[in-house]
Amino acid sequence: MLPPARIPEGGNVMNGVNAKKPSSRLSYLRSEERYAYAFIFPALASLLVFVFYPMLQALIVSFKDFNLISPDSEFVGLSNYIELLKDRDFLDSLLHSFHFAVVVIPVQTAIALGLALLIKRKTWYAPLFRTVYFLPVVIAIGVASTVFRLLYNNDFGLLNTILNAVGLPKIAFLSDPQAAIYGVMLLGIWKSVGFFMIIFLAGLNNISPDIYEAAQMDGASPWDSFWRITLPLLNRTTAFVVIITTIDAIKISGPIFILTGGGPAGSTTTATFFIVEKAFEEMQMGYSTAAAFILFVIVLAISLVQMKFFKTDVEH
Amino acid sequence: MRKSKLVRAMTGLLLALTVLAGCSSGGGGNAETGGSSAGEGGSEKVTIKYWRHDNDVEVDTLKQLIASFQKEHPNITVKMEIIPYADYETKIRTALAGKGAPDVMGIDGPNVAAYAYQDAVIPLDDYFAKDGDLDDIAKPVRDSLTYNDQIWAAPLNDASVAMFYNKKMFESKGVELPSKDPNEAWTWEQVLDAARKINDPGKGVYAIDPAWGVGAGEGSAFVKMPFIWQAGGEILSPDGGTADGYLNSPESKRAIEFFNSLYTEKLAAKELPPEAFETGKLGINVSGPWSIGGYAASHPNFKLGEDWDIAPLWKDAKQVTPNGSWNLAITKQSKHPDEAWLFLNWVTGKEGAKVWYEKTKNLPARLSVADAYPELKEYPMNIFVEQSSSFAHPRPVSPAYPTISKAITDLFEEVVLGGKNIDDSLGKAVETIDKAIEKTK
């Protein structure tokens, strides 16, 4: 990629046949530039108005004792932040979010890659499975969560009926605080794995078959090919998948609202759920905004570390 | 090609922003202001904006009341906006924050103090004194809407719950049936005894659902708090200043212990399928008058008097039932409070309340309505009417109520589902509540 052309004030940088009429060339580029700004403007304006301005306002609110419906509020300095770092419920909610992320990121990414490798094979049934695996992605999360609520029911749900029939112990995903977060993970993975499978499939299709053929000639086993060719060449795809999964995982909220309501006994209250509850149920806007900023800083830090980790100097 | 550090940092920042934007997408108020004064000369045209949550029967009734109101007051137009129940509180709160609130809002009883404390609604004492027939409203309901010695909302109706039991199940196990007399409620021990006899988890039949499961939400808190009051405990001190010494009193602790024992004895299920009672998977339930019509519509073969019956809600040291329902309040942002009151009084006044009862069959909050209909003096409605005037206990009237409500449902969840120590959980609930009260002092 070339850096944008820079024209020194009044200078002539064109030293070729095109440099006959420098002033018109210059004004052409200037008008190009104007158009560029015009094109950027709508996106930039909406970012400024709908993202950065509210963020700035939110930052201010996070230093206030701000009740959602009250017109009066006073600055309390860092006390929201200090209180949050001592709030057991908030720390627990962060822990739940990370527990969720730490399990979902590797498991979901591995399954997505595995499925992509399976359906990449050119068989007559591959398109069928591609559709089946992708189907959960297009189902509304509200509907999926409601259905999983029924499936998970301890005594009457399909899941436990099947477990019971094959002689396995029941899992009370909805009422056992130890199990509940795994129930949410299962729903989350089932819901999103198809999407990342498609992303991986695209990545796999970008790897030239010649490389595999060459490796085969040199006597590489499929196992070697996977570790030495597929994975390294998928680096950028994997980076994308992992970073997006991380963000999705940390801001998980849809299934929590419908499937578990943060329960049982607070065991699935993730950070985002905590923030929404505090803000709109308990109306403590300042407090919850401060919590949102703490989460923001954590996510920012994680994203930066991940990008450093996946950084590669090789362009494919 | 090498990416600069700045680009990477910016990308990270943007990704993180996505998260934050995802968290805060609920913002942005409705900028429209209520009311408009268009007419110059002659009677002023006024528009009253009214927001409430969805409920087909109630909305139809309100449409009828609005039509008759507009006929009586041709210069006033009432614009009703229906908001899905799950979004209602969030939407109204964002609108209040964004100065886009309606003139009249539906308000759940226990939230009145919080809205009053935040100056979001106006006191109605002067209006009630003029033509509101305040004394006609049942005292427990009045108390539940009174904060700082002022009344802040007008009730559409009251609510109460009773013990619903599967009569056939009782009879087949030879269990004595509870009395239908509101003054002869069963004690906890009697309920426990019957529950042990009818329990049959092997066949997928659970004895009792004492308080709508063990989840979160205002409904859940509504039916759980009475256990504490029945045992003789309280949630807050009489002045509302603290929960310490009340919520963690021996009486309150006994209530939690009894409630928890129903689950440890497996008489109650931590999870029930939907419609468990109507489909014969549950022996004893709590519910209100709305279920009478509800069961008749959804399960016509499950007949009151044959398959199931209603008894007064159980008691312990005291007979106590929950109360309070939805009300109407005038927002401080309203530019036409006088016209808003005319509408409020039209709907919740003596005549409006009769229409409301006839159409919705909700438990009346006005004594004159309770007197006007013979059916309210007969089984099964007499149980609810009698409970609501004699045994009802309002939920704590405190600006910290939203936190209190959550602390109570959290407490029950922690003990029953989390298996936590009762004293520890009570201690945590008291601490949470007192911290919230401290902020509103």
Side-chain angles (χ1 to χ4, degrees):
Chain A
M1 207 171 71
L2 283 167
R6 282 202 140 177
I7 316 295
E9 201 67 37
N12 180 2
V13 292
M14 300 294 165
N15 299 315
V17 281
N18 290 338
K20 286 254 166 79
K21 290 172 88 184
S23 61
S24 77
R25 171 76 188 169
L26 205 62
S27 67
Y28 168 72
L29 282 171
R30 282 232 171 103
S31 74
E32 276 284 88
E33 210 170 281
R34 271 205 298 277
Y35 275 116
Y37 284 122
F39 282 124
I40 293 171
F41 180 75
L44 188 69
S46 61
L47 262 182
L48 285 175
V49 174
F50 295 111
V51 177
F52 292 101
Y53 174 71
M55 270 193 75
L56 188 70
Q57 284 292 328
L59 187 66
I60 295 168
V61 166
S62 77
F63 295 111
K64 284 178 169 181
D65 179 13
F66 190 102
N67 183 292
L68 176 58
I69 57 173
S70 167
D72 315 313
S73 57
E74 51 178 315
F75 274 98
V76 292
L78 283 171
S79 83
N80 281 334
Y81 288 90
I82 293 165
E83 214 179 305
L84 271 166
L85 295 176
K86 288 189 282 187
D87 185 336
R88 212 163 52 183
D89 288 340
F90 177 61
L91 298 178
D92 279 349
S93 78
L94 282 176
L95 213 61
H96 297 146
S97 289
F98 289 118
H99 182 192
F100 186 87
V102 163
V103 176
V104 164
I105 297 164
V107 172
Q108 179 171 301
T109 308
I111 297 176
L113 179 57
L115 291 178
L117 287 168
L118 284 175
I119 59 162
K120 186 175 171 278
R121 301 180 182 195
K122 301 224 166 4
T123 51
W124 62 270
Y125 50 80
L128 175 73
F129 279 94
R130 196 161 56 212
T131 312
V132 169
Y133 294 142
F134 193 73
L135 218 51
V137 177
V138 296
I139 295 173
I141 188 67
V143 176
S145 305
T146 309
V147 171
F148 269 65
R149 238 193 116 71
L150 298 175
L151 288 177
Y152 283 166
N153 186 290
N154 198 19
D155 290 310
F156 306 92
L158 183 66
L159 177 81
N160 281 315
T161 310
I162 293 172
L163 286 179
N164 215 11
V166 297
L168 289 169
K170 285 182 181 177
I171 308 171
F173 276 136
L174 299 177
S175 57
D176 179 354
Q178 303 294 324
I181 192 85
Y182 296 99
V184 181
M185 288 174 189
L186 200 60
L187 166 61
I189 292 175
W190 172 83
K191 182 83 178 63
S192 347
V193 80
F195 176 74
F196 294 109
M197 173 193 77
I198 296 293
I199 306 280
F200 271 125
L201 192 63
L204 287 173
N205 286 333
N206 271 341
I207 303 175
S208 160
D210 303 349
I211 306 177
Y212 290 106
E213 271 171 38
Q216 219 175 350
M217 300 281 267
D218 290 341
S221 68
W223 187 248
D224 288 331
S225 302
F226 174 75
W227 286 104
R228 287 163 190 267
I229 300 171
T230 313
L231 265 193
L233 292 186
L234 269 180
N235 191 319
R236 302 196 132 221
T237 313
T238 315
F240 173 79
V241 170
V242 168
I243 290 169
I244 298 295
T245 309
T246 308
I247 292 170
D248 278 355
I250 291 176
K251 68 172 194 181
I252 176 94
S253 58
I256 307 248
F257 275 101
I258 300 162
L259 186 69
T260 64
S267 60
T268 59
T269 299
T270 55
T272 43
F273 189 82
F274 175 91
I275 291 166
V276 173
E277 282 266 296
K278 279 278 175 239
F280 295 104
E281 295 296 322
E282 300 186 30
M283 301 193 246
Q284 299 182 28
M285 207 61 187
Y287 194 65
S288 75
T289 312
F293 270 96
I294 293 180
L295 184 65
F296 167 70
V297 169
I298 294 174
V299 174
L300 178 66
I302 294 175
S303 294
L304 289 177
V305 169
Q306 281 181 333
M307 262 181 273
K308 191 152 188 74
F309 180 75
F310 283 106
K311 182 179 174 290
T312 168
D313 289 326
V314 189
E315 281 285 324
H316 305 297
Chain B
M1 197 166 289
R2 198 176 58 89
K3 273 195 207 164
S4 76
K5 272 190 180 154
L6 183 70
V7 171
R8 260 188 289 129
M10 285 304 289
T11 322
L13 190 73
L14 274 175
L15 285 170
L17 276 175
T18 327
V19 177
L20 205 71
C23 297
S24 61
S25 59
N30 184 338
E32 234 180 302
T33 49
S36 60
S37 46
E40 281 192 19
S43 70
E44 196 194 20
K45 288 247 185 246
V46 170
T47 303
I48 298 292
K49 274 179 63 170
Y50 164 43
W51 286 8
R52 58 155 294 138
H53 64 84
D54 56 343
N55 175 312
D56 289 348
V57 181
E58 296 188 6
V59 168
D60 283 347
T61 313
L62 276 161
K63 280 182 186 157
Q64 186 186 329
L65 284 164
I66 289 170
S68 60
F69 175 74
Q70 290 180 160
K71 203 176 268 176
E72 185 79 14
H73 302 277
N75 62 320
I76 307 176
T77 311
V78 177
K79 272 176 67 183
M80 176 167 62
E81 192 176 322
I82 311 299
I83 294 147
Y85 179 77
D87 304 336
Y88 181 73
E89 290 289 344
T90 307
K91 170 132 189 191
I92 199 102
R93 287 167 189 185
T94 356
L96 282 164
K99 305 267 178 283
D103 302 84
V104 177
M105 59 183 262
I107 180 168
D108 196 4
N111 288 333
V112 164
Y115 284 93
Y117 170 77
Q118 299 295 352
D119 235 2
V121 293
I122 61 169
L124 303 177
D125 297 77
D126 294 344
Y127 290 120
F128 265 118
K130 205 173 66 189
D131 58 356
D133 299 310
L134 187 60
D135 294 338
D136 186 40
I137 297 171
K139 188 172 181 301
V141 177
R142 251 185 294 153
D143 289 347
S144 74
L145 304 174
T146 304
Y147 170 69
N148 270 354
D149 299 324
Q150 287 176 300
I151 187 155
W152 300 83
L156 280 169
N157 51 262
D158 196 5
S160 190
V161 293
M163 169 179 163
F164 286 34
Y165 62 97
N166 189 314
K167 194 178 172 187
K168 288 227 166 105
M169 213 183 278
F170 271 59
E171 282 168 346
S172 74
K173 302 273 177 172
V175 183
E176 178 209 356
L177 300 179
S179 165
K180 289 174 181 172
D181 182 343
N183 294 303
E184 288 178 26
W186 264 12
T187 63
W188 285 0
E189 282 68 33
Q190 284 174 293
V191 176
L192 185 64
D193 187 50
R196 283 178 179 146
K197 287 180 185 154
I198 58 171
N199 199 37
D200 202 349
K203 285 191 183 151
V205 173
Y206 282 94
I208 185 167
D209 181 7
W212 298 346
V214 201
E218 189 46 41
S220 183
F222 176 71
V223 286
K224 285 184 178 63
M225 290 178 181
F227 277 93
I228 293 168
W229 299 322
Q230 285 158 4
E234 274 295 340
I235 292 163
L236 298 186
S237 58
D239 68 352
T242 179
D244 194 20
Y246 296 88
L247 183 56
N248 51 3
S249 68
E251 290 83 7
S252 309
K253 189 184 169 187
R254 202 177 100 75
I256 312 285
E257 278 168 347
F258 172 74
F259 187 90
N260 189 36
S261 74
L262 297 172
Y263 286 87
T264 50
E265 273 197 48
K266 304 239 182 293
L267 300 170
K270 289 173 182 171
E271 292 171 36
L272 278 171
E275 306 186 326
F277 183 69
E278 305 93 290
T279 53
K281 296 188 183 95
L282 180 64
I284 303 168
N285 194 14
V286 286
S287 203
W290 59 87
S291 283
I292 302 172
Y295 295 161
S298 67
H299 295 79
N301 293 325
F302 189 64
K303 290 197 174 68
L304 176 66
E306 285 176 34
D307 301 288
W308 65 285
D309 255 322
I310 301 176
L313 191 68
W314 44 72
K315 64 180 179 187
D316 187 49
K318 292 179 183 169
Q319 182 170 2
V320 184
T321 57
N323 86 332
S325 185
W326 283 79
N327 312 276
L328 296 183
I330 302 173
T331 62
K332 185 132 197 224
Q333 290 173 28
S334 173
K335 291 194 181 74
H336 307 287
D338 294 344
E339 287 82 356
W341 167 257
L342 286 177
F343 172 62
L344 232 75
N345 204 28
W346 186 266
V347 175
T348 66
K350 279 183 174 172
E351 292 311 308
K354 279 184 190 159
V355 178
W356 187 254
Y357 172 72
E358 279 172 31
K359 293 274 174 188
T360 67
K361 295 291 169 196
N362 282 327
L363 190 64
R366 285 193 173 270
L367 305 170
S368 60
V369 180
D371 271 341
Y373 297 89
E375 68 203 61
L376 287 169
K377 298 194 182 77
E378 290 161 13
Y379 175 84
M381 285 305 286
N382 70 322
I383 295 177
F384 301 102
V385 173
E386 182 75 25
Q387 284 187 162
S388 83
S389 61
S390 307
F391 304 115
H393 189 311
R395 284 162 278 181
V397 180
S398 162
Y401 184 79
T403 306
I404 297 172
S405 169
K406 186 169 182 315
I408 296 292
T409 54
D410 282 354
L411 165 67
F412 280 82
E413 270 192 67
E414 272 193 11
V415 171
V416 176
L417 300 178
K420 297 261 174 67
N421 177 289
I422 294 182
D423 289 316
D424 292 350
S425 300
L426 281 169
K428 190 184 159 201
V430 167
E431 193 191 319
T432 308
I433 292 173
D434 277 6
K435 217 165 84 183
I437 292 175
E438 198 55 45
K439 281 191 180 172
T440 60
K441 270 179 181 166

mmCIF file of all heavy atoms in Angstrom, chain B residues 195-226:
data_model
loop_
_atom_site.group_PDB
_atom_site.id
_atom_site.type_symbol
_atom_site.label_atom_id
_atom_site.label_comp_id
_atom_site.label_asym_id
_atom_site.label_seq_id
_atom_site.Cartn_x
_atom_site.Cartn_y
_atom_site.Cartn_z
ATOM 1 N N ALA B 195 -47.990 -31.236 52.075
ATOM 2 C CA ALA B 195 -47.017 -31.325 50.989
ATOM 3 C C ALA B 195 -46.282 -32.657 51.043
ATOM 4 O O ALA B 195 -46.058 -33.313 50.024
ATOM 5 C CB ALA B 195 -46.034 -30.163 51.069
ATOM 6 N N ARG B 196 -45.907 -33.077 52.253
ATOM 7 C CA ARG B 196 -45.187 -34.359 52.393
ATOM 8 C C ARG B 196 -46.044 -35.509 51.888
ATOM 9 O O ARG B 196 -45.536 -36.465 51.320
ATOM 10 C CB ARG B 196 -44.814 -34.584 53.856
ATOM 11 C CG ARG B 196 -43.613 -33.751 54.277
ATOM 12 C CD ARG B 196 -43.291 -33.966 55.743
ATOM 13 N NE ARG B 196 -42.131 -33.189 56.146
ATOM 14 C CZ ARG B 196 -41.975 -32.645 57.361
ATOM 15 N NH1 ARG B 196 -42.924 -32.795 58.279
ATOM 16 N NH2 ARG B 196 -40.894 -31.958 57.642
ATOM 17 N N LYS B 197 -47.370 -35.398 52.112
ATOM 18 C CA LYS B 197 -48.250 -36.502 51.720
ATOM 19 C C LYS B 197 -48.483 -36.566 50.214
ATOM 20 O O LYS B 197 -48.623 -37.654 49.655
ATOM 21 C CB LYS B 197 -49.593 -36.369 52.446
ATOM 22 C CG LYS B 197 -49.489 -36.719 53.929
ATOM 23 C CD LYS B 197 -50.822 -36.576 54.628
ATOM 24 C CE LYS B 197 -50.668 -36.798 56.121
ATOM 25 N NZ LYS B 197 -51.713 -36.101 56.875
ATOM 26 N N ILE B 198 -48.548 -35.428 49.561
ATOM 27 C CA ILE B 198 -48.875 -35.473 48.132
ATOM 28 C C ILE B 198 -47.627 -35.526 47.238
ATOM 29 O O ILE B 198 -47.735 -35.724 46.040
ATOM 30 C CB ILE B 198 -49.746 -34.263 47.696
ATOM 31 C CG1 ILE B 198 -49.035 -32.952 47.997
ATOM 32 C CG2 ILE B 198 -51.106 -34.317 48.349
ATOM 33 C CD1 ILE B 198 -49.735 -31.744 47.414
ATOM 34 N N ASN B 199 -46.448 -35.386 47.845
ATOM 35 C CA ASN B 199 -45.229 -35.306 47.031
ATOM 36 C C ASN B 199 -44.937 -36.639 46.331
ATOM 37 O O ASN B 199 -45.062 -37.697 46.928
ATOM 38 C CB ASN B 199 -44.047 -34.937 47.939
ATOM 39 C CG ASN B 199 -42.883 -34.397 47.155
ATOM 40 O OD1 ASN B 199 -43.081 -33.684 46.177
ATOM 41 N ND2 ASN B 199 -41.665 -34.737 47.562
ATOM 42 N N ASP B 200 -44.584 -36.575 45.065
ATOM 43 C CA ASP B 200 -44.303 -37.798 44.314
ATOM 44 C C ASP B 200 -43.349 -37.500 43.152
ATOM 45 O O ASP B 200 -43.718 -37.619 41.981
ATOM 46 C CB ASP B 200 -45.625 -38.380 43.791
ATOM 47 C CG ASP B 200 -45.489 -39.870 43.481
ATOM 48 O OD1 ASP B 200 -44.339 -40.382 43.461
ATOM 49 O OD2 ASP B 200 -46.521 -40.519 43.254
ATOM 50 N N PRO B 201 -42.093 -37.115 43.483
ATOM 51 C CA PRO B 201 -41.170 -36.677 42.423
ATOM 52 C C PRO B 201 -40.871 -37.794 41.419
ATOM 53 O O PRO B 201 -40.578 -37.513 40.255
ATOM 54 C CB PRO B 201 -39.897 -36.295 43.183
ATOM 55 C CG PRO B 201 -40.175 -36.451 44.625
ATOM 56 C CD PRO B 201 -41.490 -37.099 44.819
ATOM 57 N N GLY B 202 -40.969 -39.044 41.859
ATOM 58 C CA GLY B 202 -40.724 -40.155 40.942
ATOM 59 C C GLY B 202 -41.663 -40.115 39.750
ATOM 60 O O GLY B 202 -41.294 -40.475 38.631
ATOM 61 N N LYS B 203 -42.880 -39.655 39.997
ATOM 62 C CA LYS B 203 -43.856 -39.563 38.910
ATOM 63 C C LYS B 203 -43.880 -38.172 38.295
ATOM 64 O O LYS B 203 -44.821 -37.816 37.571
ATOM 65 C CB LYS B 203 -45.253 -39.907 39.443
ATOM 66 C CG LYS B 203 -45.444 -41.395 39.675
ATOM 67 C CD LYS B 203 -46.897 -41.705 39.932
ATOM 68 C CE LYS B 203 -47.074 -43.180 40.247
ATOM 69 N NZ LYS B 203 -48.228 -43.408 41.132
ATOM 70 N N GLY B 204 -42.893 -37.370 38.626
ATOM 71 C CA GLY B 204 -42.852 -36.018 38.068
ATOM 72 C C GLY B 204 -43.870 -35.086 38.698
ATOM 73 O O GLY B 204 -44.283 -34.112 38.084
ATOM 74 N N VAL B 205 -44.294 -35.425 39.931
ATOM 75 C CA VAL B 205 -45.242 -34.544 40.622
ATOM 76 C C VAL B 205 -44.558 -33.950 41.847
ATOM 77 O O VAL B 205 -44.094 -34.677 42.715
ATOM 78 C CB VAL B 205 -46.509 -35.314 41.067
ATOM 79 C CG1 VAL B 205 -47.394 -34.436 41.936
ATOM 80 C CG2 VAL B 205 -47.279 -35.808 39.855
ATOM 81 N N TYR B 206 -44.479 -32.627 41.874
ATOM 82 C CA TYR B 206 -43.916 -31.958 43.034
ATOM 83 C C TYR B 206 -45.033 -31.394 43.897
ATOM 84 O O TYR B 206 -46.097 -31.012 43.384
ATOM 85 C CB TYR B 206 -42.961 -30.852 42.606
ATOM 86 C CG TYR B 206 -41.629 -31.394 42.171
ATOM 87 C CD1 TYR B 206 -41.368 -31.651 40.830
ATOM 88 C CD2 TYR B 206 -40.645 -31.687 43.114
ATOM 89 C CE1 TYR B 206 -40.152 -32.184 40.424
ATOM 90 C CE2 TYR B 206 -39.424 -32.216 42.712
ATOM 91 C CZ TYR B 206 -39.178 -32.457 41.378
ATOM 92 O OH TYR B 206 -37.982 -32.984 40.992
ATOM 93 N N ALA B 207 -44.792 -31.354 45.211
ATOM 94 C CA ALA B 207 -45.855 -30.970 46.134
ATOM 95 C C ALA B 207 -46.180 -29.486 46.052
ATOM 96 O O ALA B 207 -47.339 -29.105 46.038
ATOM 97 C CB ALA B 207 -45.461 -31.335 47.560
ATOM 98 N N ILE B 208 -45.151 -28.657 45.989
ATOM 99 C CA ILE B 208 -45.419 -27.224 46.197
ATOM 100 C C ILE B 208 -44.440 -26.342 45.437
ATOM 101 O O ILE B 208 -43.265 -26.681 45.283
ATOM 102 C CB ILE B 208 -45.376 -26.899 47.720
ATOM 103 C CG1 ILE B 208 -45.760 -25.445 48.001
ATOM 104 C CG2 ILE B 208 -44.001 -27.213 48.322
ATOM 105 C CD1 ILE B 208 -46.033 -25.157 49.470
ATOM 106 N N ASP B 209 -44.928 -25.236 44.937
ATOM 107 C CA ASP B 209 -44.080 -24.164 44.447
ATOM 108 C C ASP B 209 -44.395 -22.968 45.340
ATOM 109 O O ASP B 209 -45.347 -22.251 45.096
ATOM 110 C CB ASP B 209 -44.398 -23.861 42.975
ATOM 111 C CG ASP B 209 -43.504 -22.754 42.427
ATOM 112 O OD1 ASP B 209 -42.576 -22.335 43.144
ATOM 113 O OD2 ASP B 209 -43.741 -22.321 41.285
ATOM 114 N N PRO B 210 -43.615 -22.789 46.397
ATOM 115 C CA PRO B 210 -44.034 -21.839 47.435
ATOM 116 C C PRO B 210 -44.042 -20.379 46.980
ATOM 117 O O PRO B 210 -44.793 -19.572 47.532
ATOM 118 C CB PRO B 210 -43.023 -22.051 48.558
ATOM 119 C CG PRO B 210 -41.831 -22.667 47.902
ATOM 120 C CD PRO B 210 -42.341 -23.453 46.727
ATOM 121 N N ALA B 211 -43.215 -19.997 46.026
ATOM 122 C CA ALA B 211 -43.143 -18.574 45.667
ATOM 123 C C ALA B 211 -42.573 -18.387 44.272
ATOM 124 O O ALA B 211 -41.581 -17.702 44.082
ATOM 125 C CB ALA B 211 -42.319 -17.802 46.703
ATOM 126 N N TRP B 212 -43.236 -18.985 43.284
ATOM 127 C CA TRP B 212 -42.872 -18.767 41.882
ATOM 128 C C TRP B 212 -41.393 -19.020 41.608
ATOM 129 O O TRP B 212 -40.686 -18.178 41.051
ATOM 130 C CB TRP B 212 -43.258 -17.340 41.431
ATOM 131 C CG TRP B 212 -44.730 -17.096 41.510
ATOM 132 C CD1 TRP B 212 -45.708 -18.026 41.652
ATOM 133 C CD2 TRP B 212 -45.414 -15.831 41.450
ATOM 134 N NE1 TRP B 212 -46.942 -17.440 41.688
ATOM 135 C CE2 TRP B 212 -46.792 -16.095 41.568
ATOM 136 C CE3 TRP B 212 -44.982 -14.516 41.307
ATOM 137 C CZ2 TRP B 212 -47.751 -15.076 41.557
ATOM 138 C CZ3 TRP B 212 -45.929 -13.508 41.293
ATOM 139 C CH2 TRP B 212 -47.298 -13.791 41.414
ATOM 140 N N GLY B 213 -40.952 -20.180 42.028
ATOM 141 C CA GLY B 213 -39.582 -20.562 41.729
ATOM 142 C C GLY B 213 -38.571 -19.823 42.578
ATOM 143 O O GLY B 213 -38.918 -19.207 43.588
ATOM 144 N N VAL B 214 -37.314 -19.883 42.168
ATOM 145 C CA VAL B 214 -36.250 -19.238 42.949
ATOM 146 C C VAL B 214 -35.474 -18.302 42.032
ATOM 147 O O VAL B 214 -34.267 -18.348 41.961
ATOM 148 C CB VAL B 214 -35.286 -20.291 43.549
ATOM 149 C CG1 VAL B 214 -34.549 -19.679 44.736
ATOM 150 C CG2 VAL B 214 -36.033 -21.525 43.994
ATOM 151 N N GLY B 215 -36.196 -17.471 41.297
ATOM 152 C CA GLY B 215 -35.485 -16.615 40.354
ATOM 153 C C GLY B 215 -35.503 -15.149 40.754
ATOM 154 O O GLY B 215 -35.886 -14.788 41.859
ATOM 155 N N ALA B 216 -35.074 -14.306 39.808
ATOM 156 C CA ALA B 216 -35.033 -12.866 40.026
ATOM 157 C C ALA B 216 -36.340 -12.238 39.564
ATOM 158 O O ALA B 216 -37.210 -12.918 39.035
ATOM 159 C CB ALA B 216 -33.856 -12.270 39.249
ATOM 160 N N GLY B 217 -36.468 -10.946 39.761
ATOM 161 C CA GLY B 217 -37.622 -10.213 39.246
ATOM 162 C C GLY B 217 -38.572 -9.772 40.347
ATOM 163 O O GLY B 217 -38.581 -10.314 41.446
ATOM 164 N N GLU B 218 -39.379 -8.765 40.019
ATOM 165 C CA GLU B 218 -40.267 -8.177 41.014
ATOM 166 C C GLU B 218 -41.361 -9.164 41.435
ATOM 167 O O GLU B 218 -41.746 -9.221 42.609
ATOM 168 C CB GLU B 218 -40.882 -6.889 40.475
ATOM 169 C CG GLU B 218 -41.664 -6.079 41.495
ATOM 170 C CD GLU B 218 -40.930 -5.919 42.809
ATOM 171 O OE1 GLU B 218 -39.710 -5.689 42.800
ATOM 172 O OE2 GLU B 218 -41.574 -6.050 43.870
ATOM 173 N N GLY B 219 -41.879 -9.953 40.489
ATOM 174 C CA GLY B 219 -42.907 -10.934 40.823
ATOM 175 C C GLY B 219 -42.390 -11.901 41.872
ATOM 176 O O GLY B 219 -43.067 -12.232 42.848
ATOM 177 N N SER B 220 -41.160 -12.343 41.662
ATOM 178 C CA SER B 220 -40.532 -13.281 42.582
ATOM 179 C C SER B 220 -40.399 -12.671 43.982
ATOM 180 O O SER B 220 -40.683 -13.318 44.988
ATOM 181 C CB SER B 220 -39.162 -13.661 42.031
ATOM 182 O OG SER B 220 -38.527 -14.608 42.838
ATOM 183 N N ALA B 221 -39.991 -11.416 44.048
ATOM 184 C CA ALA B 221 -39.848 -10.737 45.341
ATOM 185 C C ALA B 221 -41.209 -10.558 46.006
ATOM 186 O O ALA B 221 -41.354 -10.716 47.228
ATOM 187 C CB ALA B 221 -39.179 -9.379 45.144
ATOM 188 N N PHE B 222 -42.221 -10.256 45.202
ATOM 189 C CA PHE B 222 -43.590 -10.006 45.669
ATOM 190 C C PHE B 222 -44.125 -11.174 46.501
ATOM 191 O O PHE B 222 -44.761 -10.982 47.526
ATOM 192 C CB PHE B 222 -44.474 -9.777 44.428
ATOM 193 C CG PHE B 222 -45.943 -9.582 44.680
ATOM 194 C CD1 PHE B 222 -46.421 -8.418 45.260
ATOM 195 C CD2 PHE B 222 -46.858 -10.555 44.294
ATOM 196 C CE1 PHE B 222 -47.777 -8.235 45.454
ATOM 197 C CE2 PHE B 222 -48.222 -10.380 44.486
ATOM 198 C CZ PHE B 222 -48.684 -9.213 45.071
ATOM 199 N N VAL B 223 -43.860 -12.402 46.059
ATOM 200 C CA VAL B 223 -44.395 -13.558 46.775
ATOM 201 C C VAL B 223 -43.416 -14.149 47.791
ATOM 202 O O VAL B 223 -43.794 -15.023 48.562
ATOM 203 C CB VAL B 223 -44.868 -14.664 45.790
ATOM 204 C CG1 VAL B 223 -46.163 -14.244 45.124
ATOM 205 C CG2 VAL B 223 -43.810 -14.976 44.753
ATOM 206 N N LYS B 224 -42.150 -13.675 47.787
ATOM 207 C CA LYS B 224 -41.187 -14.203 48.763
ATOM 208 C C LYS B 224 -41.171 -13.396 50.061
ATOM 209 O O LYS B 224 -41.020 -13.945 51.147
ATOM 210 C CB LYS B 224 -39.790 -14.249 48.147
ATOM 211 C CG LYS B 224 -39.663 -15.401 47.173
ATOM 212 C CD LYS B 224 -38.287 -15.564 46.608
ATOM 213 C CE LYS B 224 -38.252 -16.771 45.693
ATOM 214 N NZ LYS B 224 -39.151 -16.619 44.518
ATOM 215 N N MET B 225 -41.322 -12.073 49.924
ATOM 216 C CA MET B 225 -41.286 -11.229 51.128
ATOM 217 C C MET B 225 -42.316 -11.663 52.190
ATOM 218 O O MET B 225 -42.017 -11.610 53.384
ATOM 219 C CB MET B 225 -41.507 -9.771 50.741
ATOM 220 C CG MET B 225 -40.320 -9.189 49.987
ATOM 221 S SD MET B 225 -40.643 -7.476 49.510
ATOM 222 C CE MET B 225 -39.135 -7.082 48.642
ATOM 223 N N PRO B 226 -43.547 -12.099 51.779
ATOM 224 C CA PRO B 226 -44.521 -12.479 52.809
ATOM 225 C C PRO B 226 -44.019 -13.556 53.769
ATOM 226 O O PRO B 226 -44.415 -13.561 54.941
ATOM 227 C CB PRO B 226 -45.713 -12.992 51.995
ATOM 228 C CG PRO B 226 -45.636 -12.261 50.709
ATOM 229 C CD PRO B 226 -44.166 -12.102 50.439
#
